Amino acid sequence: METSGLMIFALNKRALEALHTQFRNKTVLKTYTALLDGILYGKNEGHIEMKTRLDVDNRPHQIFDEKNGKLGITDWKKLRVETLTFTDKNGNEGKKKVTRIQFLPKTGRTHQLRIASADSHGLGIPIVGDSLYGKADCKRLYLHAQKITFEHPTSKRILTFESETPF
């Protein structure tokens, strides 16, 4: 709910089923941009495979669970380190060093990118403003659905939509 950017909707049941099939078959291509709350050292790109599930005692929080979790797969690329000027929830201005990341999720698990960022089995640095897995010290979550490519359910044309990242 806190992520900005693109979202697609089906206008009828047949279109919905066709889109569900594409997501299930992993043919929908998605690109997200995020700012990590700190500097990511080491590799500049990578591949994360993590099994996660609902934390039943802390809904809607998801947790790493190698045994009972569902697999989430994410490719990522470090774009740059930068200084973010932000406004906190009290209206005060602040600055912090952040790492701009591009995520290419291959699956669509609940909170997949947020967990891949914050959890030690992933990048180990939460997304700026993440109220569930990091610090809610900003007015927003710095995660943006930037690009999506899919086959139109009826025309079968390949469609790509992009939304400029607002941060």
Side-chain angles (χ1 to χ4, degrees), residues 47-75:
H47 180 82
I48 299 169
E49 294 190 10
M50 288 179 58
K51 290 185 176 181
T52 58
R53 65 165 175 81
L54 176 67
D55 180 353
V56 294
D57 297 322
N58 188 19
R59 295 173 187 264
H61 199 265
Q62 305 286 312
I63 57 174
F64 175 80
D65 186 335
E66 186 64 37
K67 182 180 176 189
N68 299 306
K70 291 184 179 180
L71 183 64
I73 302 170
T74 306
D75 290 336

Side-chain angles (χ1 to χ4, degrees), residues 26-46:
K26 299 174 182 58
T27 58
V28 177
L29 304 176
K30 303 162 281 184
T31 303
Y32 289 76
T33 300
L35 296 181
L36 301 187
D37 201 348
I39 299 173
L40 179 65
Y41 295 100
K43 297 189 331 184
N44 290 324
E45 59 185 49

Side-chain angles (χ1 to χ4, degrees), residues 84-97:
L84 172 67
T85 302
F86 65 95
T87 303
D88 70 15
K89 292 187 174 188
N90 298 319
N92 301 313
E93 190 172 286
K95 292 181 185 273
K96 61 170 80 182
K97 287 288 188 185

Side-chain angles (χ1 to χ4, degrees), residues 112-131:
Q112 177 177 323
L113 301 179
R114 294 167 77 170
I115 299 168
S117 298
D119 194 272
S120 62
H121 296 91
L123 299 175
I125 305 173
I127 297 171
V128 175
D130 191 335
S131 61

Side-chain angles (χ1 to χ4, degrees), residues 69-84:
K70 291 184 179 180
L71 183 64
I73 302 170
T74 306
D75 290 336
W76 61 272
K77 182 178 180 182
K78 178 178 171 181
L79 301 176
R80 65 181 170 271
V81 172
E82 58 192 74
T83 301
L84 172 67

Side-chain angles (χ1 to χ4, degrees), residues 106-160:
K106 306 304 178 190
T107 54
R109 300 286 172 230
T110 301
H111 300 167
Q112 177 177 323
L113 301 179
R114 294 167 77 170
I115 299 168
S117 298
D119 194 272
S120 62
H121 296 91
L123 299 175
I125 305 173
I127 297 171
V128 175
D130 191 335
S131 61
L132 287 175
Y133 305 98
K135 296 182 290 187
D137 59 350
C138 299
K139 286 186 172 182
R140 65 159 299 153
L141 173 68
Y142 283 80
L143 177 61
H144 182 76
Q146 179 185 351
K147 183 177 177 181
I148 190 163
T149 301
F150 62 97
E151 180 182 88
H152 188 278
T154 53
S155 74
K156 304 301 181 193
R157 288 185 26 228
I158 301 299
L159 302 176
T160 298

